[in-house]
Amino acid sequence: MSVEKPNPLDTALYQLKATAEILNLDEGIHNILKYPKRSLAVSIPVRMDNGPIQVFMGWRVQHHDARGPFKGGVRYHPKVTLDEITALAMWMTWKCAIVDIPYGGAKGGVCCNPKQMSLRELEHLTRRYATMILDLIGPYRDVPAPDIYTNEQTMAWIMDTYSQFKGYSVPESVTGKPPIIGGFKQREDATSRGVMFCIREATRRLGTRMKDSVVAVQGFGSVGWNAARILHEEGCRIVAVSDSKGGIYNRDGVNPLSVFEHKRKTGSVIGYAGSKQITNRELIELDCDILVPAAMENQVTRKNAPNVKAQIVAEAANGPTTPEADRILHEKGVFIIPDILANSGGVTSSYFEWVQNLTRERWTEEKVNEKQETMMVKAFNDVYSLSKKRETHMRLAALMLGIGRVAEAIKTLGVWP
Ligand code: NAD
């Protein structure tokens, strides 16, 4: 594999192999886990606003469902590939097991550039995609959610398309939908709140404190901007944030709310008053206590890992650290909160949304927040305790916990026939 920007699937398989060896996993079960249970490739024709038909490639990959229905986001990105989606589906399987919710792992993706598409084109793309994967999804089969460049509106279109085919409303068919149709407010920043809980627990274990920490956040989308805002509210100093166009830095800290307002008006964080422009690469190497990658895969690589100065790397994004960089950071003594733990607050909150939809109940904000904190802190403690017991780092401990639980479930179910 390319060590600089590895294929995410190579990374996921490498992690699985290393963990299987340590767990002494049965070879047959290891082989089962290497492959997704089901992958569907679809072509999605859309009549564009200017007349011609354009055809987009899309996928839905269902990795494993031994612990419950498949669950996973849908990513729209011009560079998305089947391998990337397969890796993300595998990570979802481990993630749901770590936080101990009754789901398996899946992921979807469409190769497109939503930034260059109108709302009408995006609606047609989404509804046609939903129609093409309709037989695979559903509340007890596979429940989609938002991911990169998809949002509440995307989920509303998928829910409506699914419901139209069923003939009745099925809010439990997706999560991360708008509150008016069965979503709930806290889902929006649940991933980022979970990241904050993990950072808080990590600082406690390291004998430091989260308040007053200097933080750099890469990516200013749903997860990145909310993480910056929540950490700011908790008393951290946010010195840098970035998006796909580049980053901004101010040693004295920026107010994420006003950066958000600036990005809403101008389309980027760049040019924010009083800040210095930096590159995404410079952001990774900044002098800070906590680095939060919240954008794409392969951002911390063997090239920049030696220059990382943060004491804690909280992986809000999926797969932001390459295996080589992981080794370098570990040797440097950086405390990594691995993606499959750090960003599991999103799927935890999706689970709460799904349960409320299935039972037709509405929980209070307090109940949701309390439940999320309890589950995230428990997941952090489970991984941390295992890392201490097995004298290993947090990523391997998280993989051991997640993969171990899924393997146990497969063993218990048996291989039919
Ligand atoms: P998003 O589309 O809302 O935001 C993505 C952000 O990343 C944007 O600000 C974009 O400008 C920026 N970006 C894109 N390419 C970049 C690059 N090369 N360098 C720097 N910034 C870049 O997506 P999101 O939902 O916030 O997802 C971000 C990450 O978090 C992804 O890895 C996703 O899989 C992961 N994640 C999301 C959720 C969720 O609930 N949305 C849950 C778990 C994990």
Side-chain angles (χ1 to χ4, degrees):
M1 69 170 120
S2 150
V3 278
E4 186 52 28
K5 296 270 176 184
N7 176 335
L9 185 55
D10 287 339
T11 301
L13 289 171
Y14 166 84
Q15 291 171 342
L16 172 62
K17 185 165 181 278
T19 313
E21 274 165 21
I22 287 176
L23 289 176
N24 209 5
L25 209 65
D26 175 271
E27 202 185 325
I29 297 209
H30 179 195
N31 280 332
I32 291 177
L33 294 174
K34 273 188 209 165
Y35 304 100
K37 190 165 175 180
R38 201 177 283 119
S39 299
L40 178 68
V42 297
S43 64
I44 310 155
V46 177
R47 185 169 297 284
M48 306 306 278
D49 290 346
N50 58 354
I53 293 167
Q54 200 171 321
V55 182
F56 300 88
M57 278 307 293
W59 300 273
R60 185 72 187 173
V61 176
Q62 298 177 329
H63 178 247
H64 268 281
D65 64 347
R67 302 186 75 258
F70 296 104
K71 183 90 190 76
V74 178
R75 177 173 293 194
Y76 287 177
H77 195 275
K79 290 198 179 137
V80 75
T81 64
L82 175 59
D83 278 1
E84 183 183 14
I85 296 298
T86 308
L88 288 161
M90 194 182 282
W91 288 328
M92 277 305 291
T93 309
W94 315 150
K95 192 180 300 180
C96 293
I98 289 167
V99 77
D100 205 9
I101 49 179
Y103 283 139
K107 201 82 180 186
V110 178
C111 195
C112 65
N113 188 349
K115 287 183 185 169
Q116 289 171 4
M117 295 172 72
S118 69
L119 205 61
R120 188 203 68 87
E121 289 168 343
L122 280 172
E123 178 172 358
H124 285 217
L125 175 95
T126 303
R127 287 184 182 276
R128 184 68 179 241
Y129 170 67
T131 311
M132 302 292 286
I133 63 166
L134 202 82
D135 288 342
L136 299 194
I137 60 174
Y140 298 105
R141 284 190 181 154
D142 182 353
V143 187
D147 191 71
I148 291 185
Y149 298 151
T150 58
N151 53 29
E152 281 190 352
Q153 181 59 72
T154 325
M155 293 308 115
W157 289 327
I158 295 180
M159 171 186 152
D160 187 58
T161 310
Y162 186 87
S163 301
Q164 294 302 329
F165 273 89
K166 289 286 159 194
Y168 52 90
S169 173
V170 194
E172 55 274 26
S173 58
V174 295
T175 61
K177 56 193 168 291
I180 192 76
I181 51 167
F184 68 111
K185 203 172 106 256
Q186 297 104 301
R187 171 63 184 85
E188 202 186 314
D189 62 11
T191 307
S192 315
R193 195 161 295 282
V195 172
M196 182 274 287
F197 289 139
C198 287
I199 291 174
R200 187 190 69 194
E201 296 305 306
T203 53
R204 284 178 180 165
R205 299 307 182 289
L206 293 169
T208 58
R209 57 181 204 156
M210 183 166 71
K211 193 168 181 290
D212 298 328
S213 292
V214 175
V215 179
V217 181
Q218 187 199 40
F220 206 65
S222 164
V223 177
W225 118 256
N226 280 305
R229 177 182 57 79
I230 291 167
L231 289 168
H232 177 74
E233 283 164 11
E234 293 292 326
C236 296
R237 177 151 51 100
I238 313 298
V239 292
V241 296
S242 71
D243 57 33
S244 59
K245 299 191 176 99
I248 56 163
Y249 173 72
N250 182 332
R251 214 180 51 167
D252 299 328
V254 296
N255 181 340
L257 275 169
S258 51
V259 180
F260 183 81
E261 198 44 37
H262 173 81
K263 183 172 163 90
R264 200 182 57 78
K265 283 191 196 135
T266 66
S268 173
V269 297
I270 292 175
Y272 177 69
S275 70
K276 180 181 148 207
Q277 190 171 334
I278 56 168
T279 62
N280 266 297
R281 189 192 158 143
E282 284 167 333
L283 183 142
I284 299 287
E285 299 177 3
L286 274 182
D287 195 1
C288 60
D289 302 315
I290 301 166
L291 173 65
V292 184
M296 306 288 296
E297 297 92 9
N298 295 336
Q299 298 302 304
V300 187
T301 65
R302 70 172 175 164
K303 270 197 182 152
N304 57 19
N307 305 326
V308 167
K309 298 177 190 67
Q311 189 189 15
I312 295 174
V313 174
E315 295 183 336
N318 286 305
T321 310
T322 68
E324 270 285 279
D326 201 33
R327 190 183 52 73
I328 295 167
L329 293 184
H330 181 54
E331 280 169 13
K332 277 164 64 97
V334 176
F335 189 93
I336 302 179
I337 309 170
D339 47 6
I340 48 177
L341 169 65
N343 68 37
S344 61
V347 73
T348 305
S349 149
S350 277
Y351 167 64
F352 299 151
E353 182 178 335
W354 181 71
V355 171
Q356 287 177 80
N357 294 154
L358 284 170
T359 56
R360 302 292 187 256
E361 275 187 27
R362 285 280 187 178
W363 298 352
T364 61
E365 215 173 303
E366 292 72 40
K367 178 168 171 174
V368 172
N369 290 345
E370 202 185 300
K371 271 175 119 37
Q372 193 199 7
E373 182 168 357
T374 307
M375 287 177 80
M376 289 297 301
V377 171
K378 178 173 186 311
F380 185 96
N381 282 336
D382 287 350
V383 174
Y384 186 78
S385 307
L386 190 60
S387 80
K388 288 288 150 205
K389 190 170 151 201
R390 300 294 296 257
E391 293 177 352
T392 188
H393 48 87
M394 290 288 281
R395 182 171 331 270
L396 192 54
L399 287 163
M400 284 165 73
L401 188 66
I403 294 171
R405 283 178 177 166
V406 177
E408 198 54 39
I410 293 177
K411 243 195 287 176
T412 309
L413 290 168
V415 178
W416 184 85

